[in-house]
Amino acid sequence: AVLKGQMVALCSDAFVLLQVVLLSALLVATVLKFPDFLAGLRPSRGLRAARLWAMAKLSELAVAIIELLLLVFAWKTFALVVRASICALMTPAAMMGVALPKCIDRRGRFAIAGVAWLALLGGLALERVLAPG
């Protein structure tokens, strides 16, 4: 009975050691939290404390990765809004370019219409700024 209890404890410790090794390997692979893990690791406290410390650092790493993904998502959303705004702003210029004579190249028609449209918008904005009260 004592031998059986010792074997169970040995298997439990081997499983905890395997967990510590796997968690440490994940931290090494990601590099970000590995120095923090090494700085706070206290081998004298045992394998279970090392496993808890590794899991804490891995959870911090997961939060950092999620924050990074959210920033990427926010940047892509911002870029999409800017592109959509420019497209909405220049759509009337594209329609004006279609109305110009076909003897002018397509890019030339869009350039002329774009300059005219932006000049019109700039004039309206300037009039609004300079208008009294």
Side-chain angles (χ1 to χ4, degrees):
V2 174
L3 183 61
K4 184 178 178 181
Q6 293 295 325
M7 290 298 291
V8 168
L10 177 65
C11 289
S12 174
D13 286 345
F15 183 67
V16 171
L17 178 64
L18 180 65
Q19 286 177 336
V20 169
V21 169
L22 288 175
L23 291 171
S24 299
L26 283 172
L27 288 167
V28 167
T30 55
V31 179
L32 293 174
K33 291 291 179 179
F34 188 64
D36 290 342
F37 170 69
L38 288 180
L41 187 62
R42 303 284 181 257
S44 61
R45 292 192 178 175
L47 283 176
R48 284 173 177 61
R51 180 186 62 183
L52 290 175
W53 182 247
M55 289 177 77
K57 290 298 147 187
L58 204 60
S59 67
E60 287 179 14
L61 176 68
V63 168
I65 289 173
I66 289 171
E67 287 175 353
L68 181 66
L69 290 175
L70 286 175
L71 285 175
V72 168
F73 176 73
W75 172 253
K76 287 186 176 188
T77 302
F78 174 73
L80 179 67
V81 166
V82 168
R83 280 183 274 171
S85 299
I86 291 172
C87 182
L89 181 70
M90 295 307 288
T91 297
M95 293 302 109
M96 289 169 45
V98 169
L100 290 175
K102 299 282 186 200
C103 62
I104 305 172
D105 180 44
R106 178 178 55 89
R107 292 186 187 120
R109 287 184 306 201
F110 182 73
I112 293 168
V115 169
W117 176 247
L118 291 176
L120 177 67
L121 288 178
L124 289 173
L126 187 63
E127 186 271 332
R128 188 166 268 233
V129 169
L130 296 178

